[in-house]
Amino acid sequence: MTMRNSKSWYSISCFIGFVLLLSACNDADTEVEGGSNGESETEGEETVIAGDAEQVFRLTHTTPESHMWHQAAVHFGDILAERSDGRFGLEIYPAGQLGTEADMLQQIESGSIDFGFITAAEMSSREEAFSAWFAPYLFDTILEANEARESNEASAILNTLDSSNMIGLDYLFAGQRMMLSRDVKIEGPDDMSGLTLRVTPSPPMLQFYNSLGASTEGIPLPEVYSAAQTGVIDGMDMDLDATITNNFYEVVDYAAVTNHMVWPAVAVMNDALFDGLSDEDQQIVIDALDEAADFSAETRYEQEEEFKEQLRGEGMDVYDIDQTPFESEIAEFDEEYSAIDSLIEDFITAFR
Ligand code: BEZ
C-alpha cells in the first residue's frame, strides 16, 4: 500500500470509529455512579462512572460486561473518581461496540478514545515484543504473571509503544488459556493432528498450535460461538472466564485445563492526553490501573475452581493437563521467539 493510500485508509478508519462512537453514545443509557460495586449487567451499551465529572475519559475493550476486564474497568473508574475528588469520570464501551481491537487502537491513537484494555495478542501484531507473554507454561498461575508485570522486562515491552501515539501503562490478567474441544478429548499433541482449532489471530499463539500439529483458524472472539456451533472448528484456545461469559459450554464438550499461556490485556492510553496531565494526575491514573490490575488477577485466581465446577455443572468434561506432553514444543517456542527479539529473550530468561 502506498503512503498516500495508507493515509486515506487511516482517515476513513478514524471517521468510521468516530461514527461508531457517536452511535454508541446515542444508544447509551447505562448509568453506574462512582463507588459502584461493578455489577453492571446491561450488554451492548456503555457504562458511565461519575458522568458529571469535569473530565470524563473514554475507555474501550472487547469483552462482555460480565468478563473480568469490564469489572476491572469499572474498578478503575471508581478509583479515578475517588482519588481525583470527583474531577475524573469514566465512560466504558465494552464488547467490541467500537469495532475490532485494531479499530480501537486507531481510535486511541487519533484521540477519539482515551484508554483501551487491548489483548496482548492484538498488541503482538503491532509490536512483536508482546509475544513474550505467550511463551508456553512460563507462569504457573496468574498471580505469578501479575507479579511479573511489575518487572523491568515487562516495562521494557510496554516501552516499545513509545514511538506510537499511545502509551502502554499496565497489564491486566483475567485467566490462563486452555483447550476446548467438541468431539475429541485432547490429552496431548497426538490428539490434535487433524483438528481445526480456533486460535486468536496472533503469531505466537498460532505458532504454538501449529507446532502441536493442529490446523488453526484465526477467528476473533465474537465469531467463535457460531464457528463451533456450525462445526467450522473442532475446538478452541480460550480462558475459563470467556468460556463462561460467552456460553461456549453450549457448543463444546471437553475442557483441558492446560493453563498453557497467560492472557494479559494491555492498558493503553492516548499519549498526548497522558502528557497533558499534571504529575499528580498521571500518578492517579497509574495507581488506579495498578489497583484494578491486582483486583482482576486476585479475584479471578480465587474463582478458578468455582468456574471449573460451574462448567462441570453445564455438562462439560473438565480435566487438568500439565506441561509434560508439550515439553518439546515449549523448547521450540523459546528458541524461535528468543531469536526474534532481545526483549523476548530477556523476558523468557527472567521467568522460565
Ligand atoms: C479471545 O479472543 O480468546 C479473548 C479475547 C478477550 C478476552 C478473552 C478471550
Side-chain angles (χ1 to χ4, degrees):
M1 192 182 289
T2 63
M3 180 70 88
R4 177 188 286 247
N5 280 344
S6 75
K7 275 194 177 154
S8 327
W9 273 112
Y10 182 76
S11 309
I12 291 166
S13 304
C14 289
F15 176 72
I16 291 170
F18 183 64
V19 171
L20 283 168
L21 178 61
L22 275 184
S23 106
C25 289
N26 287 338
D27 289 347
D29 64 3
T30 305
E31 189 86 9
V32 179
E33 298 295 337
S36 88
N37 59 8
E39 286 180 3
S40 169
E41 288 303 325
T42 314
E43 300 275 328
E45 294 167 348
E46 88 213 50
T47 301
V48 183
I49 297 156
D52 51 1
E54 275 167 38
Q55 188 165 11
V56 180
F57 299 119
R58 286 156 301 179
L59 182 151
T60 182
H61 64 81
T62 194
T63 57
E65 286 173 273
S66 44
H67 190 273
M68 177 45 76
W69 287 345
H70 186 76
Q71 295 168 39
V74 171
H75 202 66
F76 171 55
D78 285 344
I79 299 169
L80 275 183
E82 182 194 308
R83 300 279 161 83
S84 65
D85 293 324
R87 284 181 298 118
F88 294 154
L90 189 68
E91 281 174 10
I92 307 165
Y93 296 86
Q97 276 180 48
L98 301 186
T100 64
E101 289 197 303
D103 297 331
M104 294 176 203
L105 288 176
Q106 286 189 338
Q107 291 153 18
I108 294 160
E109 288 206 89
S110 72
S112 61
I113 282 286
D114 305 319
F115 288 93
F117 288 175
I118 307 293
T119 61
E122 177 66 29
M123 299 309 293
S124 72
S125 303
R126 288 284 295 253
E127 289 292 343
E128 211 145 31
F130 285 96
S131 307
W133 286 103
F134 301 113
Y137 293 96
L138 197 57
F139 301 103
D140 286 340
T141 67
I142 54 172
L143 292 187
E144 277 182 22
N146 194 46
E147 276 177 33
R149 82 185 164 83
E150 313 272 6
S151 65
N152 293 337
E153 289 81 7
S155 300
I157 294 172
L158 290 178
N159 293 343
T160 58
L161 296 174
D162 283 354
S163 55
S164 73
N165 291 330
M166 315 175 262
I167 175 168
L169 290 171
D170 216 326
Y171 302 95
L172 299 100
F173 298 90
Q176 289 164 283
R177 305 303 284 186
M178 55 184 195
M179 301 174 186
L180 307 182
S181 50
R182 268 165 52 112
D183 308 316
V184 175
K185 183 167 179 170
I186 297 175
E187 291 180 295
D190 289 350
D191 303 313
M192 296 170 75
S193 67
L195 295 187
T196 301
L197 299 180
R198 174 274 175 172
V199 179
T200 311
S202 153
M205 301 184 82
L206 293 165
Q207 191 278 350
F208 180 62
Y209 274 91
N210 290 330
S211 76
L212 294 172
S215 301
T216 48
E217 284 284 345
I219 303 175
L221 186 64
E223 293 159 33
V224 176
Y225 184 98
S226 66
Q229 191 178 39
T230 54
V232 170
I233 52 173
D234 301 305
M236 64 186 81
D237 177 280
M238 195 51 61
D239 64 23
L240 267 174
D241 191 336
T243 303
I244 292 170
T245 55
N246 292 277
N247 303 343
F248 292 137
Y249 50 80
E250 293 172 357
V251 289
V252 289
D253 289 331
Y254 299 101
V257 184
T258 47
N259 284 343
H260 58 278
M261 284 174 188
V262 292
W263 181 247
V266 182
V268 292
M269 181 182 182
N270 176 274
D271 66 347
L273 182 64
F274 184 78
D275 290 344
L277 296 178
S278 67
D279 289 352
E280 186 188 281
D281 286 344
Q282 287 181 353
Q283 199 56 49
I284 289 175
V285 169
I286 289 167
D287 291 345
L289 280 172
D290 184 45
E291 289 185 34
D294 281 340
F295 165 77
S296 177
E298 285 161 16
T299 310
R300 275 298 176 257
Y301 176 73
E302 280 162 21
Q303 287 171 319
E304 189 163 323
E305 289 310 314
E306 175 193 325
F307 280 4
K308 286 188 207 171
E309 276 314 306
Q310 197 173 330
L311 291 178
R312 287 188 182 110
E314 297 290 350
M316 287 191 84
D317 182 353
V318 180
Y319 52 100
D320 295 331
I321 307 187
D322 70 14
Q323 70 187 65
T324 314
F326 305 107
E327 293 290 1
S328 67
E329 290 80 10
I330 297 169
E332 192 181 318
F333 183 101
D334 284 4
E335 192 180 335
E336 187 174 324
Y337 272 83
S338 293
I340 288 178
D341 188 322
S342 63
L343 293 179
I344 301 177
E345 185 180 17
D346 293 347
F347 192 86
I348 292 176
T349 307
F351 299 111
R352 177 69 72 203

